[in-house]
Amino acid sequence: MGAFPEDFYNKGINLRKKKEVPLLKDYAIDLTTGEILLDENKNAIIVEGLDAVIVQAWRKIHTKKLDPFAKEGYLIYSKNFGSQFHKLIGKGKDYGDTYAYQMLVDCLVNGTYITGISNFSTKLEKSCYKINYTLESIYGSKEDSFYIDID
């Protein structure tokens, strides 16, 4: 045995044990309307893992993030919940291309379940600004897209 205990140089690492992340669960929703899906007994269907990440991402993208200084708010969401894509309405593709990626990252990436956004691209189809991306999570990746009517 040497002059130092075996874990002398790893002491800091041992003190900072990783916190275990609980399995993410949420209610299944129709990804077109946002309505909760029910089973044959009229009970809400529960999804886990990547499916729950997708549900939460859909909710965040389709919920307008409120002004932090506004007096109104959502009873079930924090002031940080939601997106700012409503700010793209009335703007052109160049404006959207400048800000949409950061808006998506700010909306979704939390470092716990959603770790990043990749394969980001945009397209203007008539008055609809289409955002395509790959959602990166601790459960895997999922390609997704959504439209914003900018007129």
Side-chain angles (χ1 to χ4, degrees):
M1 183 162 168
F4 296 105
E6 185 177 318
D7 66 344
F8 176 79
Y9 291 104
N10 295 324
K11 186 176 180 184
I13 294 170
N14 291 339
L15 292 176
R16 286 181 254 136
K17 290 186 179 181
K18 279 196 166 188
K19 188 177 179 183
E20 194 165 317
V21 178
L23 177 63
L24 185 63
K25 297 180 182 184
D26 207 331
Y27 294 109
I29 63 170
D30 178 322
L31 296 175
T32 307
T33 64
E35 292 182 30
I36 293 177
L37 299 177
L38 305 175
D39 64 16
E40 61 278 352
N41 296 322
K42 305 274 187 211
N43 295 316
I45 298 170
I46 304 293
V47 291
E48 302 176 338
L50 184 57
D51 290 331
V53 167
I54 293 165
V55 165
Q56 289 194 0
W58 189 95
R59 263 196 213 106
K60 288 177 181 179
I61 288 169
H62 292 89
T63 301
K64 180 180 174 182
K65 187 175 190 176
L66 298 175
D67 179 345
F69 301 107
K71 293 189 185 218
E72 76 273 357
Y74 303 113
L75 293 175
I76 62 171
Y77 299 134
S78 73
K79 292 227 183 227
N80 288 332
F81 189 90
S83 73
Q84 295 186 336
F85 291 114
H86 60 279
K87 292 183 176 183
L88 299 179
I89 297 169
K91 307 289 195 267
K93 185 175 184 311
D94 290 340
Y95 182 88
D97 289 349
T98 302
Y99 297 103
Y101 176 78
Q102 191 59 49
M103 286 177 173
L104 189 62
V105 169
D106 291 346
C107 171
L108 297 181
V109 178
N110 60 16
T112 303
Y113 295 105
I114 300 176
T115 56
I117 301 296
S118 62
N119 303 322
F120 181 85
S121 66
T122 64
K123 185 188 281 185
L124 187 61
E125 297 174 355
K126 297 184 182 177
S127 65
C128 289
Y129 186 68
K130 183 178 182 184
I131 296 176
N132 301 294
Y133 66 99
T134 301
L135 181 116
E136 308 289 342
S137 82
I138 62 172
Y139 302 115
S141 302
K142 172 76 168 120
E143 289 183 26
D144 197 10
S145 64
F146 61 96
Y147 291 91
I148 301 163
D149 188 359
I150 59 172
D151 274 349

